[in-house]
Amino acid sequence: MDLKKINKTVIVTIIIGLLIVRFAGDALLFIIDKSDTNVAILWKTLTTLILIIPVYILIFRGLNSKISGYSEEAEKIFFLQLNRISLLIFILFSFYLFLHFIKLKTQISNNLFALLSSEIYALYSIILSVYILFFIWLWLLNKRHRRTIFQLVILRNGLFYFVIVEVLITLFPSMNKPVVSIVSKLMAIFIAIVMLSTSRNNQWLALLPKPEKIKLLWLSLFVVLVNSYITYSIYLGNTIINVSLLGFSPGAISFVAFVLGISVIYFFRILISVLASIPTSYIIERKMRELSSLRELNKVVSDSIEMNLLLETVVRLALKSTKGLAGWIELYDKDGTTNISASQNLDEEKINILDKSSELEKIFKSLEKPLVIDSIYEDKILSKLNWSVIPTARALIAVPLHSSGDKIGVLVVLCTDEYGFDDDDVKILTAFSDNVSIAIENSRLVKDSIEKERYKQELMLARNITEKLLPQKLPSLKNYHVKAFSLPAEEVGGDYYDIVNLKNGKPCIIIADVSGKGMSAAFYMAQLKGVVMSLARESECGKELLKRINTTLYKAIDRQMYITMSAFVIDNEEGKATFARAGHMPGLFKNNGDVTEIIPRGIGVGLAPQDTFNEHIEELELQFKENDVFLLFTDGLNELKNQKQNDLGIESLVDLLKQSGNDNPIAIESKLKNLITDFSQDESQIDDITVVIVKYAKMLK
Amino acid sequence: MIGDNKFSIQHKEIEQVNCLYLRGYLDAHTAPVLESAINDIIGKGQNKILVNFGELDYISSAGLGVFMAFIEDVRDSGGDIKLADMKPKVFSVFDLLGFPVLFDIDKEEKISMEKFRKGDTSIKYIIKK
């Protein structure tokens, strides 16, 4: 039967109902003066039996799920119940003394009120007994193991049957033959053995904090004494409790005596365990404190990237686990200066006053292993320091902090007792210093990665800007159809293309590649755009524009930097164009279905001074026919690598153009992009790719 | 020999001419190796440098930049950097950029050596920034 599902109020109502019926019946029996008859005994026994079942259910319902395993919460519940049970036993005891004092025993037979009082007392002691069982039950659950459930089942059900047997024996005295009596006694012994054997796991008591142990000690002592007294008085017979229990129900007396007897032994065991663990509790508590400090520290180390918070925590925990008075952490900068990075109960100013001569700092910096000064006033050097800033300090411990082999600082703790630090303190502080080293390392790594991330973002920003320097939309030109695209490599690059108008209004297509990659290339590219925009308006032809650009930029750019560029100028709507080149890749001219590389002479911009540059640049004239195509590109395209590190090569581009038929520039663009993807596969693109496709067609398909 | 599998330089001194034999890939990653090799030579007060490209498979724009970085100083001091024995593919990179106008680029090392011996510089103008 699932006791949990039974509603509490229903049970309480049943109990109260039964009690009222019971008391009414008792009163009636008293009034008609039939209290001592067999009928009266039958009535009492039966009602008690019926009463005990809901009480039992009420107390034991849902217990298995209430506490699982050993936990702080289980401990809390346990202590709550222990307090309650002590109070209840105290009430029982007071009640007992009170009833004894008013000599209730002698009045029971001739006073209805006295009779009912004794019955309430008996009922109370029965309920208390069940409650004590419940407590022992809790205790068992508190340190549960595989066999606990089995023991609990025996205990609970065994007790229940024991109660029934006891009651039945008294109900039917004819049954009270030696065999039944022996069975009942054996059952009591069996249950007692089970209870005592399950209580052997009391080691966890040793882990309780000292104040709780003391509390437990007094409470269990109280329970042992009071319960012994009551059990003894039951054993003596003819006391008020005997009379009451006998008057309430003949079977109740052995049940209550049994439970109280068990509880005495049980609590005595608790008492002994606690008593035995008190002398060692200092060490155990200390170990627990160390453990919890280290655990907390580990948590902080793994969670926190905030250095100061971490160091503060370390000092605080160091004080907590060594019972230190004050402490601080000094960290050494790369340039050798020392910073007080965290302190407790002593501020930086005071530490500086204390160590005015920097003697302490010098000692700390030379530390290779932990230093313990048992008495600061007996130490030659330390005694000279200005200890008035912290007059209660007597001993000092200093543990060096290391990070990747370097000494990075020191953790210092002071305490109020001479010889106040022992080996354990050194050990725990060393463990702390290891953790701090890890934390410092971590925080440095995090900082690094944040910086890297920031750099990456700035690079992205730069890339976005350089992308915006390229034309968003190309102007439409009569009879010439231009399509361009730029595929930047991962880093910012220096590819540029544009269409500008020359002085005479002729459109000029510019393609350029700044040598190198990265920020510098991007900056030169931005500079180039400005230069192109302004110089185009003053130039009559592509060659002149390139000359002017070189003149302007030659002195402005770094020695090892240069810009290769080409200028393609559309001279008229009838297909006449000119092409000039400054060190740039050839132009590919698809003319009448044939493809040729157009390579006018020309040195890269920035490589040669004005005279040399101007002397060696030439311009070629081109005559376009319907469906002719001109392809401008940067070396990122022909030097595109595949997985075997082979170049795409200009030949592939020539082939692509040859096979493009009468494709419009959009179709050529998509073919080129497919070629790029197919060729490079998963190989990453190392240089920017920029392509400008110019097609001459009066009637574009 | 300095460098690694990707790029290496062998340095020989023949008749006061510092010959650098390049091998492998000269790009942005390996350019510093060449840069420091040339720096070493200039640091010793020497200014006749012959770069042999015979075993060089590839050169990128950053590789070309190295020569640009030094040529001015070397010529100022009366020396020269001459380039020789390029594979066609490498030469075309130099050629496209217009290097033949700026540098002595010879088919064979011995032609360059001969020029050094005679003190002949076919590049007439001075690059100066």
Side-chain angles (χ1 to χ4, degrees):
Chain A
M1 184 168 63
D2 193 354
L3 299 179
K4 232 197 300 190
K5 284 187 183 151
I6 302 166
N7 193 308
K8 193 177 175 182
T9 39
V10 172
I11 302 172
V12 173
T13 316
I14 290 172
I15 292 172
I16 292 172
L18 282 171
L19 274 177
I20 292 170
V21 172
R22 168 68 196 262
F23 287 145
D26 282 356
L28 187 69
L29 284 170
F30 182 79
I31 290 163
I32 58 169
D33 203 14
K34 293 261 161 95
S35 294
D36 294 330
T37 57
N38 278 345
V39 180
I41 292 173
L42 191 67
W43 162 252
K44 282 174 181 178
T45 317
L46 264 178
T47 45
T48 308
L49 191 60
I50 295 167
L51 196 60
I52 200 108
I53 294 169
V55 168
Y56 176 85
I57 291 170
L58 181 69
I59 292 178
F60 278 89
R61 65 198 264 284
L63 263 185
N64 284 355
S65 59
K66 204 155 195 175
I67 300 175
S68 56
Y70 172 72
S71 65
E72 275 175 25
E73 206 205 343
E75 215 172 81
K76 222 183 271 170
I77 293 172
F78 172 73
F79 269 95
L80 184 81
Q81 296 295 346
L82 184 62
N83 282 334
R84 205 178 279 173
I85 215 161
S86 306
L87 182 69
L88 292 177
I89 289 174
F90 179 72
I91 292 171
L92 179 80
F93 186 55
S94 314
F95 210 166
Y96 176 79
L97 292 180
F98 175 72
L99 294 182
H100 190 74
F101 182 71
I102 58 167
K103 299 202 165 38
L104 189 83
K105 199 171 68 184
T106 53
Q107 299 167 28
I108 290 172
S109 49
N110 47 28
N111 184 331
L112 180 60
F113 175 73
L115 178 72
L116 290 182
S117 298
S118 84
E119 290 204 336
I120 286 170
Y121 181 59
L123 184 69
Y124 179 78
S125 50
I126 290 169
I127 291 174
L128 178 65
S129 301
V130 180
Y131 201 86
I132 289 174
L133 283 177
F134 161 69
F135 175 78
I136 293 172
W137 181 293
L138 268 185
W139 183 269
L140 291 179
L141 275 173
N142 209 340
K143 187 78 187 176
R144 153 186 252 175
H145 50 88
R146 201 158 51 86
R147 272 160 48 208
T148 313
I149 293 289
F150 170 69
Q151 287 162 338
L152 290 176
V153 170
I154 289 182
L155 194 64
R156 190 172 75 181
N157 297 337
L159 265 174
F160 190 61
Y161 298 132
F162 175 64
V163 172
I164 292 174
V165 168
E166 282 292 330
V167 171
L168 282 178
I169 287 168
T170 26
L171 181 60
F172 305 106
S174 57
M175 263 176 70
N176 197 1
K177 287 166 191 165
V179 178
V180 180
S181 174
I182 286 168
V183 167
S184 138
K185 296 286 181 295
L186 281 178
M187 192 175 260
I189 292 166
F190 173 68
I191 293 167
I193 290 171
V194 168
M195 286 178 86
L196 294 175
S197 74
T198 50
S199 70
R200 70 184 184 282
N201 273 322
N202 275 341
Q203 293 103 318
W204 67 276
L205 287 175
L207 298 177
L208 286 177
K210 202 171 177 182
E212 298 204 349
K213 269 184 196 165
I214 303 280
K215 192 169 148 194
L216 192 57
L217 185 72
W218 287 117
L219 287 178
S220 51
L221 184 66
F222 172 76
V223 173
V224 166
L225 289 178
V226 172
N227 283 6
S228 315
Y229 179 77
I230 297 173
T231 318
Y232 185 62
S233 67
I234 294 174
Y235 169 75
L236 283 180
N238 205 27
T239 54
I240 177 74
I241 190 160
N242 287 59
V243 175
S244 300
L245 284 168
L246 259 174
F248 188 76
S249 163
I253 190 154
S254 55
F255 172 67
V256 171
F258 170 74
V259 171
L260 290 185
I262 289 282
S263 76
V264 169
I265 303 170
Y266 209 84
F267 277 87
F268 189 69
R269 285 191 60 136
I270 294 176
L271 184 69
I272 298 295
S273 303
V274 174
L275 210 56
S277 75
I278 280 180
T280 54
S281 62
Y282 167 71
I283 297 167
I284 287 165
E285 254 179 71
R286 188 202 166 99
K287 289 284 166 204
M288 299 274 283
R289 212 164 51 219
E290 284 176 9
L291 206 67
S292 78
S293 296
L294 273 178
R295 214 166 48 189
E296 198 178 331
L297 186 67
N298 266 320
K299 199 169 138 34
V300 176
V301 166
S302 53
D303 285 357
S304 139
I305 50 162
E306 191 55 57
M307 205 56 186
N308 289 345
L309 177 75
L310 175 93
L311 296 177
E312 291 288 348
T313 312
V314 169
V315 179
R316 183 170 56 77
L317 293 176
L319 293 190
K320 189 176 142 196
S321 51
T322 59
K323 296 221 158 155
L325 163 71
W328 70 89
I329 286 180
E330 290 179 10
L331 288 185
Y332 311 135
D333 272 354
K334 271 174 195 155
D335 56 4
T337 56
T338 304
N339 295 311
I340 310 291
S341 302
S343 61
Q344 291 270 316
N345 303 339
L346 201 64
D347 55 30
E348 196 177 339
E349 201 181 332
K350 282 185 178 167
I351 297 168
N352 286 332
I353 294 171
L354 169 71
D355 190 25
K356 224 172 191 171
S357 55
S358 296
E359 285 291 338
L360 207 54
E361 191 187 323
K362 224 180 279 169
I363 296 173
F364 291 158
K365 276 191 175 169
S366 64
L367 284 185
E368 287 302 331
K369 49 183 190 192
L371 168 80
V372 182
I373 305 286
D374 289 321
S375 171
I376 52 176
Y377 292 107
E378 281 172 25
D379 188 89
K380 247 188 210 168
I381 301 170
L382 263 66
S383 58
K384 289 178 195 150
L385 300 178
N386 189 1
W387 289 106
S388 61
V389 291
I390 180 154
T392 46
R394 289 293 178 276
L396 175 146
I397 191 165
V399 184
L401 307 175
H402 295 273
S403 174
S404 13
D406 294 331
K407 215 179 293 170
I408 52 162
V410 67
L411 166 66
V412 188
V413 178
L414 301 173
C415 88
T416 50
D417 301 319
E418 288 190 354
Y419 296 87
F421 293 120
D422 53 26
D423 283 354
D424 280 342
D425 293 318
V426 178
K427 267 184 215 155
I428 184 81
L429 288 186
T430 309
F432 270 43
S433 85
D434 292 345
N435 270 296
V436 175
S437 305
I438 292 167
I440 290 173
E441 193 84 343
N442 279 350
S443 106
R444 214 170 53 192
L445 288 176
V446 169
K447 222 164 147 189
D448 276 4
S449 75
I450 287 172
E451 257 164 40
K452 249 177 219 159
E453 192 56 36
R454 194 184 306 152
Y455 175 72
K456 224 164 129 187
Q457 273 176 5
E458 275 172 18
L459 213 63
M460 278 304 293
L461 203 70
R463 195 170 133 174
N464 286 344
I465 292 169
T466 50
E467 270 170 31
K468 285 207 179 96
L469 292 175
L470 300 176
Q472 305 296 310
K473 195 170 173 272
L474 294 171
S476 55
L477 307 168
K478 198 174 177 193
N479 295 346
Y480 291 88
H481 308 276
V482 185
K483 189 83 189 119
F485 63 90
S486 189
L487 307 172
E490 276 170 37
E491 293 169 45
V492 287
D495 274 12
Y496 172 64
Y497 71 87
D498 213 343
I499 298 184
V500 291
N501 283 327
L502 299 180
K503 194 176 177 182
N504 47 26
K506 288 178 185 173
C508 173
I509 299 169
I510 295 285
I511 188 165
D513 180 2
V514 178
S515 74
K517 284 193 288 186
M519 288 291 196
S520 58
F523 282 127
Y524 282 124
M525 179 218 165
Q527 195 183 5
L528 177 67
K529 177 168 173 128
V531 170
V532 168
M533 302 285 265
S534 62
L535 294 181
R537 268 176 260 141
E538 299 168 17
S539 310
E540 296 279 352
C541 63
K543 188 167 93 174
E544 191 189 341
L545 175 61
L546 294 180
K547 282 179 184 174
R548 283 173 184 269
I549 291 172
N550 182 64
T551 308
T552 311
L553 288 180
Y554 175 63
K555 297 234 174 200
I557 62 180
D558 268 356
R559 280 180 191 180
Q560 67 268 43
M561 294 286 291
Y562 54 85
I563 302 167
T564 69
M565 58 194 297
S566 295
F568 179 92
V569 179
I570 295 166
D571 288 316
N572 64 28
E573 293 165 8
E574 302 307 313
K576 190 180 169 234
T578 46
F579 181 57
R581 192 187 67 94
H584 199 75
M585 296 310 292
L588 293 185
F589 186 31
K590 183 185 177 193
N591 186 226
N592 263 340
D594 240 15
V595 179
T596 40
E597 290 183 33
I598 309 294
I599 317 176
R601 283 191 304 128
I603 307 167
V605 169
L607 287 176
Q610 191 177 349
D611 299 344
T612 319
F613 184 90
N614 294 354
E615 191 187 321
H616 288 91
I617 190 159
E618 67 172 342
E619 196 166 54
L620 295 180
E621 255 183 45
L622 305 166
Q623 182 57 53
F624 281 75
K625 295 202 173 71
E626 185 74 7
N627 286 328
D628 280 358
V629 175
F630 199 78
L631 188 74
L632 296 149
F633 56 93
T634 57
D635 60 2
L637 180 62
N638 58 305
E639 288 181 11
L640 180 73
K641 301 268 188 280
N642 65 6
Q643 277 163 333
K644 289 177 193 160
Q645 296 300 312
N646 293 328
D647 286 2
L648 176 67
I650 294 177
E651 274 312 306
S652 316
L653 304 175
V654 172
D655 290 345
L656 185 139
L657 278 183
K658 273 183 185 167
Q659 285 155 20
S660 66
N662 286 346
D663 284 348
N664 61 30
I666 298 171
I668 297 174
E669 178 190 9
S670 85
K671 277 185 180 172
L672 266 170
K673 283 185 172 167
N674 286 340
L675 177 70
I676 291 167
T677 332
D678 292 347
F679 182 78
S680 64
Q681 298 288 352
D682 289 332
E683 193 65 22
S684 63
Q685 183 190 331
I686 50 169
D687 198 3
D688 297 350
I689 294 176
T690 301
V691 176
V692 183
I693 306 153
V694 186
K695 174 160 179 161
Y696 179 76
K698 288 184 173 166
M699 297 160 288
L700 185 72
K701 281 173 196 165
Chain B
M1 195 184 89
I2 46 170
D4 51 26
N5 287 341
K6 200 182 167 201
F7 175 72
S8 65
I9 304 174
Q10 206 167 0
H11 182 194
K12 268 191 226 166
E13 209 178 312
I14 307 168
E15 299 166 34
Q16 289 178 331
V17 176
N18 288 273
C19 301
L20 297 175
Y21 296 85
L22 311 187
R23 186 191 188 94
Y25 272 66
L26 181 54
D27 57 20
H29 296 287
T30 56
V33 182
L34 177 63
E35 218 172 286
S36 72
I38 298 179
N39 247 330
D40 283 352
I41 296 167
I42 295 172
K44 278 186 268 177
Q46 310 212 5
N47 56 21
K48 288 177 182 165
I49 301 167
L50 190 154
V51 185
N52 187 310
F53 288 79
E55 300 288 323
L56 193 81
D57 298 315
Y58 172 84
I59 187 160
S60 80
S61 60
L64 293 165
V66 176
F67 302 104
M68 293 308 299
F70 291 106
I71 189 69
E72 182 186 330
D73 289 342
V74 171
R75 287 195 181 148
D76 274 357
S77 70
D80 196 15
I81 300 175
K82 295 188 199 296
L83 317 175
D85 204 8
M86 286 180 189
K87 287 182 179 172
K89 202 178 137 193
V90 174
F91 178 74
S92 78
V93 176
F94 280 93
D95 190 34
L96 274 175
L97 254 179
F99 261 53
V101 179
L102 312 171
F103 283 82
D104 253 340
I105 303 180
D106 299 307
K107 278 231 163 75
E108 289 172 65
E109 188 185 312
K110 59 181 182 187
I111 302 173
S112 302
M113 287 300 285
E114 189 61 32
K115 284 181 184 168
F116 269 123
R117 220 169 282 135
K118 287 181 185 165
D120 171 26
T121 307
S122 54
I123 309 297
K124 298 291 179 230
Y125 47 81
I126 299 160
I127 294 177
K128 195 151 190 137
K129 283 202 180 179

